[in-house]
Amino acid sequence: MEQKPLRDFLEIPYDELEELNLKVKEQRLRRESADKIREERIKYLTDEKRIKAVTVCFTDLEGRLHMLDYDKKFLLKSADNLTFDGSSIRGFSAQAESDLRLNVDWSAFYWLPSDIFGPGKVLAFCEVLERDGTPYHSDMRGQLKRATDQLFQKDGTVFHAAPEIEGFLFKNRDAERHYHEEGKFEFISIGGYYHALPGDGLRTFIDKAAEAQRAMGFQNEKDHPEVAPSQFEMNFSYSEALVAADQIQLYKLLCRQVAAQQGLTASFLPKPVTGVNGNGMHINMSLSKNNKNLFYDKGGQDGLSPMGWEFIDRILTNANDICLVLNSSVNSYRRLDPHYEAPNQIKASANNRGAMVRIPFGNERSARVECRSVAPDANPYMVLYTLLKTGLEGPQPQEDAETKRSRTRFLPDNIYDAVRFFKGSQFIAQTLGEQVQGKYAELKVASADRCPKQLGTRVKDAEIQFHHEVTNQYLWNLF
């Protein structure tokens, strides 16, 4: 008698995965009723016997993605009462008020490639709530979701974003954690822009990661080796801001997992190697209403409408105050080095890649504003929320806007100056709330104080070891 397999967990081919994930994404973009979507997902999970667990994700204040797997049957019974210990998450609650709740965002639901995540699992993003069910102040995903929902409910305006996220591929697993032993990172490829032979280590990694993204409904556009050796970038299409931010978190997760499976490390440190270009996360943004791009004006300067230019002017005016949000680690200030196409000039330009804001050539569909001075280790929800609020509500320039646009000022070149601007900003206090302003600054100073005050020309062990995306609990507890 033929023996039945012991396990029969769900494994979906990549082409079917893409169809499923795109259908869910379309529901999300159409803003279908949350109750309807929740009912649909719960029915699906109940009926699909081959799913064993739901991976539930949330993001802490600094931008680290946290994941926990709930047994499917338990989740179906307890979805309205998921709790966790917030005091164990850096930047979340104090020990005396540690209990926090998770609210599953059923619209942000993904079927997963089983060769990367294991069979029988699906994934959903969450909002973090206080014990009484009110929004938790340090959950920037929740803040972005509420801000974009309010914008749409007010007059139908939609905030779109498309990130361009660069990373490095290094030899060996956990290369960042072993940096203090090796004192260096080793490139997997020494090619450059667009240069990698089919089948070499970098190209194999890019192909595999891009396949996974496509299957998860990212709607890929192009992928290629970047300017620096072993550097990569995989672009996906414009979407609503919250979808784009979720996809940034998934992009980094997929890249790290695919690299680890190949015995390598995908690193999103902004400047892990001196002497070559660093990693950026350029954020392309636009606003639309009734499918009309509000940033486009055929006769406007560089094809932008007055609203587009006002959005830029507010970002430039408040550039120093928001710099710490966009560049959140000690290491990110190495990237703001003018010798390597660094976007450290507080100005806007159609063609100067050293400008903080670039105006790409566009038409009615593609006109947008590109903020180039964002590092890939920043909290994507906090970045998009802050850029949206700054572009629409930030203090306007006190002097003539034309003068301000043309005059060259520079972003801070170290994290202490950025913290000082951030802490002293009344606009940041109003936008993020005083609690978040204080907590975030405190976390950044804690990291900075563990690193040498001067960056110097050599990447120091501490700026890698105590980086918020790299550190582990054990290291922090040694202090």
Side-chain angles (χ1 to χ4, degrees), residues 167-170 186-192 202 226 228-232:
F168 277 101
L169 190 65
F170 295 130
E186 284 191 74
F187 297 133
I188 188 73
S189 160
I190 53 169
L202 181 59
E226 256 295 339
S230 276
Q231 195 177 30
F232 61 87

Side-chain angles (χ1 to χ4, degrees), residues 313-314 316-318 346 395-409:
D313 288 334
R314 289 177 191 267
L316 297 180
T317 299
N318 300 282
I346 304 175
Q396 289 184 297
Q398 296 303 302
E399 59 191 297
D400 173 61
E402 284 295 329
T403 307
K404 191 130 192 170
R405 286 176 203 160
S406 59
R407 184 162 55 85
T408 300
R409 297 176 298 138

Side-chain angles (χ1 to χ4, degrees), residues 72-124:
K72 182 189 77 173
K73 291 173 186 169
F74 174 82
L75 182 76
L76 288 171
K77 282 188 300 188
S78 313
D80 294 330
N81 191 33
L82 303 176
T83 60
F84 72 101
D85 177 8
S87 66
S88 296
I89 307 294
R90 280 183 61 227
F92 271 19
S93 57
Q95 196 168 336
E97 48 188 46
S98 58
D99 277 356
L100 293 173
R101 293 169 60 183
L102 293 172
N103 180 45
V104 179
D105 181 352
W106 291 105
S107 67
F109 184 93
Y110 292 85
W111 280 269
L112 302 172
S114 58
D115 56 337
I116 294 175
F117 289 88
K121 289 185 180 182
V122 289
L123 178 146

Side-chain angles (χ1 to χ4, degrees), residues 143 321-322 325 385-386 395 421-438:
Q143 290 228 42
D321 290 5
I322 67 174
V325 172
Y385 174 79
T386 303
F421 282 122
F422 179 87
K423 282 175 72 175
S425 169
Q426 192 55 43
F427 171 65
I428 288 290
Q430 291 165 356
T431 305
L432 297 179
E434 288 183 10
Q435 266 184 298
V436 168
Q437 183 185 34

